[in-house]
Amino acid sequence: MGKLYVIGIGPGGSEHMTLKARAAIEESNIIVGYIKYIDMIKDLIKDKTIYSNGMMGEEERCREALRLSKDNIVSVISTGDSGIYGMAGLILELADEMERKNIEVIPGVTASSAAASIVGAPLMHDNCNISLSDLMTPYELIKKRVEAAAFADFIISFYNPRSKGRPNYLREAIEIIKKYRNSDTPVAVVKNALRDGEEASLFTLETFDDSIVDMLSIVIVGNSQTYIKGGKMITPRGYFQ
Amino acid sequence: MGKLYVIGIGPGGSEHMTLKARAAIEESNIIVGYIKYIDMIKDLIKDKTIYSNGMMGEEERCREALRLSKDNIVSVISTGDSGIYGMAGLILELADEMERKNIEVIPGVTASSAAASIVGAPLMHDNCNISLSDLMTPYELIKKRVEAAAFADFIISFYNPRSKGRPNYLREAIEIIKKYRNSDTPVAVVKNALRDGEEASLFTLETFDDSIVDMLSIVIVGNSQTYIKGGKMITPRGYFQ
């Protein structure tokens, strides 16, 4: 009888993984994941069989994990939370009734939480996560979401904020937000939060420079109440201060 | 020289805490937190000094933690992620320059991630967190956010969804969402996700019954693409299926 753990390993540094995620990886004999994520946990999986492929091979990876889970203990790994832009959805979409019985989703610390912890406490009030990747979402819908979130004063965390194929989406999103928020609204860029290569920068909507942003960054735009104090980005809990 | 860890312990069950959170708690000689959250980690803190008070004593608790952190190693604990509706914001708001240098925010698995993992993979696309508590946010702004999120097809996770003092807000929020989404849109109610007393129920916007919802629940409303298959709530990753 097999088992399929769908694991969010958190931001990448092994200490920010949950005890449950670590135990499930240790229990598994096969580990499935994108090659860069496998590398992040290499110290934990030295004696295990690895099935790994490139960024675009997600469906193949999931099918292989499901097949192998019939008579193995398999961990499919995502960074962050497996349930937020991770592998949990595709695994459950592809699973048949028998395979579904073996699946356990193990959540992790999502990238926006990790990024927020580095720069202070920007996510203390209502907030949203928006991916700027248009691979599977029409760009018009992405812009509609940015505008709605700006209008309703959500703190906004951008995932996949910028790539070579779409160098201008982030700048366009910031322009939309500027229609609704003061130019001194804080903006954080965090690259590789809580893992090797961590870098964080604070801007305002006015001074924001998107050239330092890449696919591995998270960009957090504060709400109308967010401020910077002593180098920390803080959103107060309420509107009656 | 002291230290102040602001820790998200995750959903509550000790195995869903990160290794870093656990190590910080073990390193601390004083633990500060709301009495119910202290109880969740009681096995970890038997030999430690505890400073605990009731739900409304947050500011007092933070001031005491800051004071104690001058010459102690102190952990302030929140459930979920300390940076999402947790204690990180208030601690940083209240800290003076000296105290701020001792602070380290340690993120955890937030409640919506924990709830999502129980019911399947509902948060696989752009999503938002909205608290229905009006203690520090005008109800008109809360409703504006619900409407904007519904309009722009965000998956919505409601925190603090229902209490005796505001029995109707959740029902009113669901009515707003119904203006924009089909009546068969899935809705999940998860109580005590990944801790003792866990319960999960799946509804649609049409069949939704708010009477089972309390302050310890998370309510997740799917987007226009979310469906239920084999008892699991799944949001596909994209719009081009």
Side-chain angles (χ1 to χ4, degrees):
Chain A
M1 190 57 185
K3 181 85 192 174
L4 179 53
Y5 294 114
V6 187
I7 300 179
I9 63 168
S14 62
E15 61 185 359
H16 291 280
M17 190 183 294
T18 68
L19 294 147
K20 174 83 177 178
R22 191 184 172 112
I25 289 170
E26 283 170 351
E27 184 195 339
S28 299
N29 60 311
I30 300 178
I31 311 292
V32 177
Y34 173 46
I35 193 158
K36 285 198 180 166
Y37 304 158
I38 291 285
D39 192 55
M40 289 177 182
I41 58 165
K42 59 178 184 289
D43 294 343
L44 275 183
I45 56 175
K46 281 178 182 147
D47 55 341
K48 302 187 189 292
T49 304
I50 311 294
Y51 180 84
S52 182
N53 62 5
M55 182 65 101
M56 293 304 166
E58 285 166 349
E59 187 166 332
E60 189 191 339
R61 221 183 296 144
C62 287
R63 287 193 192 281
E64 189 65 10
L66 287 162
R67 193 182 66 75
L68 291 165
S69 72
K70 286 188 172 58
D71 24 49
N72 290 280
I73 301 176
V74 180
S75 282
V76 175
I77 60 162
S78 308
T79 52
D81 179 13
S82 50
I84 298 184
Y85 309 118
M87 302 304 280
L90 193 52
I91 287 282
L92 286 169
E93 285 184 70
L94 295 172
D96 65 28
E97 200 176 334
M98 276 289 289
E99 292 164 340
R100 209 178 301 124
K101 292 201 173 79
N102 293 342
I103 295 171
E104 182 173 349
V105 178
I106 300 177
V109 173
T110 190
S112 55
S113 287
S117 75
I118 302 301
V119 294
L123 305 181
M124 291 304 298
H125 210 284
D126 301 335
N127 61 88
C128 65
N129 299 316
I130 299 177
S131 168
L132 290 182
S133 167
D134 63 355
L135 278 182
M136 286 185 296
T137 308
Y139 185 45
E140 287 309 311
L141 176 59
I142 295 172
K143 284 195 289 190
K144 179 178 173 176
R145 284 191 178 141
V146 173
E147 182 125 23
F151 165 76
D153 207 27
F154 281 98
I155 305 143
I156 305 172
S157 300
F158 289 112
Y159 285 64
N160 311 308
R162 190 162 178 266
S163 70
K164 283 177 190 153
R166 41 186 178 77
N168 301 321
Y169 286 13
L170 178 59
R171 200 176 312 142
E172 288 164 16
I174 295 290
E175 288 307 314
I176 291 169
I177 297 169
K178 274 184 179 170
K179 294 194 289 176
Y180 300 91
R181 285 188 207 165
N182 288 337
S183 58
D184 62 353
T185 303
V187 180
V189 176
V190 185
K191 205 181 289 190
N192 292 314
L194 301 177
R195 62 179 177 236
D196 287 347
E198 178 180 293
E199 285 175 49
S201 314
L202 291 179
F203 300 92
T204 65
L205 282 175
E206 194 58 41
T207 65
F208 181 64
D209 174 9
D210 70 347
S211 68
I212 66 161
V213 179
D214 63 14
M215 276 298 273
L216 297 174
S217 308
I218 292 286
V219 176
I220 303 177
V221 180
N223 73 10
S224 65
Q225 311 295 300
T226 306
Y227 61 91
I228 292 176
K229 183 180 95 169
K232 294 293 176 188
M233 179 172 173
I234 302 169
T235 303
R237 295 176 304 162
Y239 283 75
F240 300 124
Q241 300 255 320
Chain B
M1 188 58 187
K3 181 85 193 173
L4 179 53
Y5 294 112
V6 188
I7 300 180
I9 63 167
S14 62
E15 60 184 359
H16 292 280
M17 190 182 295
T18 67
L19 294 149
K20 173 85 178 177
R22 191 185 172 112
I25 289 169
E26 283 169 353
E27 184 196 338
S28 299
N29 60 311
I30 300 179
I31 310 291
V32 177
Y34 174 46
I35 193 157
K36 285 200 183 169
Y37 304 159
I38 292 284
D39 192 56
M40 288 178 184
I41 59 165
K42 59 179 184 288
D43 294 343
L44 275 181
I45 56 175
K46 282 176 184 151
D47 55 341
K48 302 187 188 293
T49 303
I50 310 295
Y51 179 84
S52 181
N53 63 4
M55 181 66 99
M56 293 303 166
E58 286 167 349
E59 188 166 331
E60 188 191 339
R61 220 183 297 145
C62 287
R63 288 192 192 282
E64 188 65 11
L66 286 162
R67 193 183 66 74
L68 291 165
S69 72
K70 286 189 172 59
D71 20 54
N72 290 280
I73 300 175
V74 180
S75 283
V76 176
I77 61 163
S78 308
T79 52
D81 179 14
S82 50
I84 299 185
Y85 310 117
M87 301 305 281
L90 194 52
I91 286 282
L92 287 169
E93 283 185 70
L94 295 172
D96 65 28
E97 200 175 335
M98 276 290 289
E99 293 165 339
R100 209 179 301 125
K101 291 201 173 79
N102 293 343
I103 296 171
E104 181 174 349
V105 179
I106 299 177
V109 173
T110 190
S112 55
S113 287
S117 76
I118 303 301
V119 295
L123 304 181
M124 292 302 299
H125 211 284
D126 301 336
N127 61 89
C128 64
N129 299 316
I130 299 177
S131 168
L132 289 183
S133 168
D134 63 355
L135 278 182
M136 287 186 295
T137 308
Y139 185 45
E140 286 309 312
L141 176 58
I142 296 172
K143 284 195 288 189
K144 180 178 172 177
R145 285 191 177 141
V146 173
E147 182 126 23
F151 165 75
D153 207 27
F154 282 97
I155 304 143
I156 304 172
S157 299
F158 289 112
Y159 285 64
N160 310 310
R162 190 162 179 267
S163 71
K164 281 177 192 153
R166 41 187 177 76
N168 300 321
Y169 286 11
L170 178 61
R171 200 177 311 141
E172 287 164 16
I174 295 290
E175 288 306 315
I176 292 169
I177 298 169
K178 274 184 180 170
K179 294 194 288 177
Y180 298 92
R181 287 192 204 162
N182 288 337
S183 58
D184 61 353
T185 303
V187 180
V189 175
V190 184
K191 204 181 292 191
N192 292 314
L194 301 176
R195 63 181 177 235
D196 287 348
E198 178 181 294
E199 284 175 49
S201 313
L202 292 179
F203 300 92
T204 65
L205 283 175
E206 193 59 41
T207 66
F208 181 64
D209 174 9
D210 70 346
S211 69
I212 66 160
V213 178
D214 64 14
M215 277 299 273
L216 298 174
S217 308
I218 293 284
V219 177
I220 303 176
V221 180
N223 73 10
S224 64
Q225 310 296 299
T226 307
Y227 61 91
I228 292 176
K229 184 180 94 170
K232 294 294 175 187
M233 179 172 173
I234 303 168
T235 302
R237 294 177 304 162
Y239 283 73
F240 300 123
Q241 301 255 317

